[in-house]
Amino acid sequence: MKKVVVVTGASSGIGLALCERLLSEDEELHLCLACRNLAKAEAARVTLLSSHPTAEITLVQIDVSNLRSVFQASRELKQRFERLDYLYLNAGIMPNPQLNLKALFYGLFSRNIFHMFSTAEGLLTQDDKVTVDGLQEVFETNVFGHFILIRELEPLLCHPDIPSQVIWTSSSNAKKSNFTLEDFQHVKGHEPYSSSKYATDLLSLALNRNFNQQGLYSSVVCPGVVMTNLTYGILPPFIWKLLIPFIFLLRFFINSFTSTPYNGTEALLWLFRQKPEFLNPLTKYHSLTTGLGHNYVSPQKPVPQTHYENVTGNHIQA
Ligand SMILES: NC(=O)c1ccc[n+]([C@@H]2O[C@H](COP(=O)([O-])OP(=O)(O)OC[C@H]3O[C@@H](n4cnc5c(N)ncnc54)[C@H](OP(=O)(O)O)[C@@H]3O)[C@@H](O)[C@H]2O)c1
């Protein structure tokens, strides 16, 4: 039977590169591109078909920052499919990112220099806004819209005899210090992106806790630092181009500079090949690239177990 894979945010960057690699891995897939802009989605479909002419690729319109759109897309998916094998929750935003030049300068001369470059911790602030649903846009896009999508698609995802995988594109920028339960939408802070990605990591643990027995398994991935429209919001493309020699040098010390969308999808593709029952629910899978350009996947703990237990009251076995 054909595997059914849905990818949100498949129109560009990491999502599009993932679709390309998934089709190279298994051309028999039914791949559904879940995008907010149908014209961009159609362009992505044409690009994918040019290298995989026989592939079955369909589109569904979804704006994950709008609950009406999420419900509509869920209805369409339930009409089209009896089950889903993979749901890649990849759409995400980092609106109006501002680089904290002071923090960058101090970081350059501190012991944390490698950590700062690999996680961007403390370097980036963003301007958030409120959506038509009255939620913070970053939270709704990166976390809540996707969470509602999962809940709506439960009948397609929960089959104890055939496991399904929900795979989130999270980030190393997810930081416990930027997340509180009292302000889980990050209304009061200036790092909503980091908060939303930490919320994603917590949510993934909770999904495993509550849904593994029903055949749904959730994982989180960090793609590394990848040149996409998202990073072009931090620095313009020509600056990134000027930084390329520096980035290639840095890669000998920090393997998280994956740089290309292709490299960034390494962990997303690796998870596609795994039996989810054997994955550790406490792990975040990092795409990494060595100084010589070799891609590999490294499992790391995203959320201190004690913090998960404090926040949710749930106890999870490692
Ligand atoms: N690039 C990095 O270094 C990096 C690092 C860590 C994590 N990530 C994560 O990787 C994921 C993919 O980002 P990217 O780097 O590939 O950036 P990107 O090229 O900007 O791709 C983001 C995708 O999300 C879609 N999207 C945004 N808002 C949406 C909404 N409300 N509803 C539906 N789709 C929406 C975009 O659609 P449109 O084409 O319509 O805008 C686009 O397809 C994100 O979750 C991001 O947080 C990226």
Side-chain angles (χ1 to χ4, degrees):
M1 200 187 251
K2 275 189 171 197
K3 287 179 184 158
V4 183
V5 184
V6 174
V7 181
T8 69
S11 57
S12 65
I14 294 164
L16 181 56
L18 171 66
C19 292
E20 181 65 49
R21 289 193 75 179
L22 286 172
L23 290 173
S24 300
E25 182 84 9
D26 179 356
E27 208 158 310
E28 295 301 306
L29 292 177
H30 183 131
L31 186 59
C32 179
L33 315 182
C35 303
R36 65 174 161 185
N37 182 326
L38 275 186
K40 280 192 188 176
E42 183 53 36
R45 197 173 87 93
V46 170
T47 306
L48 293 168
L49 283 173
S50 64
S51 46
H52 305 278
T54 57
E56 191 170 1
I57 306 172
T58 53
L59 312 178
V60 68
Q61 183 165 31
I62 184 168
D63 179 345
V64 283
S65 68
N66 182 318
L67 289 180
R68 184 193 282 259
S69 168
V70 174
F71 288 124
Q72 176 59 33
S74 308
R75 271 195 297 276
E76 279 183 38
L77 290 168
K78 281 188 274 194
Q79 278 164 10
R80 278 190 222 170
F81 303 112
E82 281 174 13
R83 49 156 242 289
L84 298 182
D85 298 288
Y86 299 86
L87 176 58
Y88 281 94
L89 303 172
N90 168 75
I93 54 165
M94 182 195 269
N96 311 311
Q98 263 126 58
L99 195 57
N100 185 336
L101 289 172
K102 199 170 153 192
L104 177 65
F105 182 77
Y106 283 120
L108 284 174
F109 299 100
S110 81
R111 274 187 302 167
N112 286 335
I113 178 167
F114 291 134
H115 179 75
M116 176 185 79
F117 275 120
S118 57
T119 64
E121 188 175 352
L123 282 187
L124 292 170
T125 57
Q126 302 93 36
D127 289 335
D128 208 351
K129 64 179 188 198
V130 176
T131 66
V132 286
D133 297 315
L135 297 168
Q136 293 299 118
E137 189 187 27
V138 176
F139 172 76
E140 186 167 11
T141 308
N142 295 359
V143 189
F144 192 68
H146 282 125
F147 173 66
I148 296 298
L149 183 65
I150 297 173
R151 296 307 310 255
E152 285 299 302
L153 296 179
E154 266 178 48
L156 306 191
L157 292 164
C158 295
H159 296 282
D161 44 332
I162 317 170
S164 64
Q165 287 196 61
V166 166
I167 301 169
W168 302 78
T169 315
S170 180
S171 170
S172 311
N173 191 240
K175 285 292 152 226
K176 177 173 177 275
S177 51
N178 284 319
F179 179 84
T180 62
L181 256 197
E182 293 70 37
D183 184 20
F184 56 85
Q185 291 196 54
H186 207 76
V187 178
K188 296 180 190 145
H190 299 287
E191 297 188 50
Y193 182 81
S194 171
S195 169
S196 73
K197 294 296 182 184
Y198 193 80
T200 297
D201 295 351
L202 277 176
L203 186 53
S204 180
L205 290 176
L207 287 167
N208 284 321
R209 173 79 172 73
N210 291 292
F211 287 96
N212 279 178
Q213 286 196 336
Q214 296 166 58
L216 186 160
Y217 294 83
S218 176
S219 305
V220 282
V221 162
C222 171
V225 182
V226 184
M227 301 311 130
T228 63
N229 292 336
L230 187 138
T231 33
Y232 295 151
I234 302 168
L235 292 172
F238 79 93
I239 301 271
W240 284 111
K241 284 212 174 90
L242 289 176
L243 289 174
I244 282 176
F246 179 61
I247 288 173
F248 273 68
L249 194 63
L250 261 182
R251 254 203 208 154
F252 283 95
F253 307 98
I254 313 171
N255 292 351
S256 56
F257 275 95
T258 46
S259 309
T260 67
Y262 179 96
N263 294 347
T265 59
E266 191 69 17
L268 294 158
L269 187 71
W270 183 84
L271 282 167
F272 176 78
R273 299 176 183 139
Q274 306 308 310
K275 286 199 183 311
E277 311 90 295
F278 299 114
L279 295 170
N280 184 338
L282 295 172
T283 297
K284 181 186 261 180
Y285 298 91
H286 292 249
S287 298
L288 297 168
T289 306
T290 65
L292 295 176
H294 169 70
N295 292 326
Y296 67 104
V297 177
S298 167
Q300 292 166 24
K301 280 204 171 169
V303 174
Q305 192 168 343
T306 44
H307 189 231
Y308 170 74
E309 287 164 2
N310 289 345
V311 166
T312 63
N314 282 326
H315 298 273
I316 200 158
Q317 297 290 316

